[in-house]
Amino acid sequence: MSTHKLPGYGSTLRTARRLTEQAVRLVDRAVPGRMPDVEVVLTTERGMVDLMVAADIALAGHADRRALNRAVRQSRRTARDCQARAIPKPDGGVLVLIDADKHPTPGAFAVTLVHELVHAVQFSRRGVRERIVRDTRAALGVERQTGRQAREHVRLLKQEESEAYGCEHLADQLIPGATATATAAA
């Protein structure tokens, strides 16, 4: 658990550390698969862009100028629209980026954290990491994938998102009423 370009959020970081330790154990028991090493980083929207670009380039294994520009554009769009993102790391771990400014309450943070940790467990399943690497390389223009592979990735991504949304109720075990406050804040 760390921060990136986020000064003055000491109490938020302490709360996040406590919730993360509990959420990792909870999700590891509840979701099929194994929990990899997870690095959680609290940041801002701008910090998310920096970290997503670095993670995508590391995952793709290639960093020419065009790939870097595509990664920056894609990361800016993603950071504007999302609250958090889980990204597999080349070493087998997972990087979970969370925009602290988009989480006004510990309950909202707990729901997002559980959602992203479910994705972390999903990355440990057979073939998922390789599929994500292939799609990232295709998105950055490093390597082409077939239309069939792209459609399969989108279909499986929808299933994985459904599973993650379905497990958000686990956040209520961390903070009672967390899902109710998260839906009210959204």
Side-chain angles (χ1 to χ4, degrees):
M1 180 59 121
S2 62
T3 61
H4 176 74
K5 295 186 178 180
L6 194 68
Y9 279 74
S11 64
T12 304
L13 182 60
R14 284 188 293 279
T15 302
R17 270 198 184 111
R18 180 180 51 80
L19 288 174
T20 300
E21 290 171 5
Q22 296 170 356
V24 165
R25 287 191 301 271
L26 184 66
V27 171
D28 195 26
R29 284 192 310 259
V31 179
R34 81 175 166 77
M35 181 68 72
D37 290 334
V38 177
E39 178 185 356
V40 178
V41 180
L42 285 178
T43 188
T44 61
E45 187 175 309
R46 184 175 286 168
M48 279 186 73
V49 171
D50 298 341
L51 294 171
M52 281 192 281
V53 168
D56 284 345
I57 293 296
L59 192 61
H62 194 273
D64 68 357
R65 186 175 306 233
R66 277 192 341 217
L68 185 60
N69 290 337
R70 282 185 180 156
V72 169
R73 283 191 307 273
Q74 183 178 341
S75 294
R76 282 186 183 141
R77 276 192 305 271
T78 303
R80 216 174 309 135
D81 298 335
C82 75
Q83 297 177 1
R85 182 167 175 218
I87 305 168
K89 293 175 19 181
D91 66 0
V94 176
L95 176 65
V96 174
L97 304 174
I98 299 177
D99 188 341
D101 295 333
K102 293 182 181 173
H103 296 88
T105 65
F109 178 81
V111 170
T112 299
L113 182 62
V114 166
H115 182 99
E116 298 305 323
L117 289 175
V118 170
H119 287 313
V121 171
Q122 290 168 344
F123 296 156
S124 73
R125 296 176 185 161
R126 190 172 68 201
V128 174
R129 184 176 297 273
E130 293 78 16
R131 177 176 47 87
I132 291 172
V133 169
R134 184 181 61 233
D135 186 69
T136 301
R137 291 176 63 84
L140 298 180
V142 174
E143 179 180 285
R144 292 180 56 93
Q145 67 178 342
T146 65
R148 182 181 184 148
Q149 289 172 328
R151 287 188 302 274
E152 180 74 3
H153 175 70
V154 169
R155 184 183 68 77
L156 292 172
L157 207 58
K158 287 179 183 175
Q159 286 179 354
E160 291 161 357
E161 276 299 319
S162 293
E163 180 184 13
Y165 281 118
C167 290
E168 286 182 356
H169 67 87
L170 295 172
D172 287 332
Q173 294 179 31
L174 299 172
I175 296 178
T179 52
T181 59
T183 54

